[in-house]
């Protein structure tokens, strides 16, 4: 009973704590941390290694080669879009969240947080739980948004937000047409 001290750690803090433990029992974990650190340094020197590692991880999780190709292409399209946002006035994480939510809402009818809830996800990456069509329409919304920014030479978050809605709407219209034809929703649980 009574007041007690409580220590809270983030992941980096826990790793630092483990590194400071002088016990031989901590050595295997320390060696693993050193190995992972070395691999990350190699990836900085040769980014292709990071791509190969990502592909291998997806393969080990049981994803098909076809899905992995779409996911990797989606990562490249997303990176291109966020670079565009940065160059055109989005500065804070909140800006990126708002712009991403606009694309998602216009493409799928739900924001990413609503989408995660629909799929029953907590901390998992939403895109890693999308099927082929979801990935394709997500890429279409993001790629269309990037092209709209470039065509209209958009500047500032309000204009980027308008563009994000337009890019997402392009993908959303295509999704709705396909859903009508297939007589089922593209958005899956």
């Amino acid at each position: 009973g009574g007041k007690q001290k409580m220590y809270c750690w983030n992941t980096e803090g826990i790793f630092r704590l483990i590194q400071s433990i002088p016990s031989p029992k901590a050595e295997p974990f320390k060696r693993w941390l050193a190995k992972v650190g070395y691999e990350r340094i190699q990836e900085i020197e040769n980014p292709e290694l990071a791509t190969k590692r990502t592909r291998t991880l997806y393969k080990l999780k049981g994803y098909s080669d076809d899905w992995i190709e779409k996911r990797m292409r989606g990562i490249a399209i997303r990176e291109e879009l966020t670079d565009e946002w940065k160059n055109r006035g989005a500065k804070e994480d909140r800006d990126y969240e708002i712009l991403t939510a606009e694309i998602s809402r216009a493409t799928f009818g739900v924001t990413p947080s609503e989408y995660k809830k629909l799929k029953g996800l907590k901390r998992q990456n939403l895109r890693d739980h999308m099927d082929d069509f979801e990935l394709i329409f997500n890429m279409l919304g993001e790629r269309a948004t990037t092209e709209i920014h470039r065509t209209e030479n958009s500047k500032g978050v309000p204009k980027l937000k308008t563009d994000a809605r337009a890019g997402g709407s392009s993908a959303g219209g295509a999704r709705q047409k396909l859903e009508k034809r297939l007589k089922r929703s593209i958005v899956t649980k």
Side-chain angles (χ1 to χ4, degrees), residues 81 84-85 88-90 94-107 111 141 144-146 148-149 152-169:
L81 174 63
E84 203 67 36
W85 284 345
R88 294 180 180 279
R94 185 75 182 130
D95 295 336
Y96 293 87
E97 289 172 20
I98 289 167
L99 296 169
T100 301
E102 286 298 324
I103 295 170
S104 180
R105 187 179 299 113
T107 302
T111 64
T145 300
T146 301
I148 291 168
H149 292 331
E152 299 182 8
N153 195 24
S154 304
K155 303 275 189 218
V157 175
K159 175 62 173 132
L160 297 177
K161 188 175 174 182
T162 302
D163 293 353
R165 198 173 305 123
S169 292

Side-chain angles (χ1 to χ4, degrees), residues 11-28:
T11 305
E12 182 182 351
I14 290 170
F15 286 156
R16 298 276 297 135
L17 175 66
I18 290 167
Q19 288 173 329
S20 72
I21 297 171
S23 169
K25 290 182 179 181
E27 281 308 309

Side-chain angles (χ1 to χ4, degrees), residues 74-88:
I75 290 168
I77 287 170
R78 174 67 182 182
E79 191 172 309
E80 188 179 2
L81 174 63
T82 56
D83 286 348
E84 203 67 36
W85 284 345
K86 181 181 176 186
N87 295 335
R88 294 180 180 279

Side-chain angles (χ1 to χ4, degrees), residues 90-179:
K91 299 295 179 212
E92 300 174 25
D93 288 345
R94 185 75 182 130
D95 295 336
Y96 293 87
E97 289 172 20
I98 289 167
L99 296 169
T100 301
E102 286 298 324
I103 295 170
S104 180
R105 187 179 299 113
T107 302
F108 299 110
V110 290
T111 64
S113 58
E114 293 166 341
Y115 212 153
K116 284 180 86 166
K117 214 177 277 184
L118 176 76
K119 288 183 175 281
L121 304 175
K122 301 281 185 238
R123 293 184 57 194
Q124 302 97 320
N125 185 305
L126 174 61
R127 294 166 198 242
D128 288 351
H129 290 55
M130 289 182 166
D131 70 10
D132 284 358
F133 278 132
E134 290 170 307
L135 285 174
I136 290 165
F137 285 113
N138 194 64
M139 284 189 282
L140 177 59
E142 291 187 340
R143 184 63 187 96
T145 300
T146 301
E147 200 57 33
I148 291 168
H149 292 331
R150 289 175 181 164
T151 301
E152 299 182 8
N153 195 24
S154 304
K155 303 275 189 218
V157 175
K159 175 62 173 132
L160 297 177
K161 188 175 174 182
T162 302
D163 293 353
R165 198 173 305 123
S169 292
S170 298
R175 175 191 57 84
Q176 289 169 347
K177 281 184 178 180
L178 183 60
E179 285 177 338

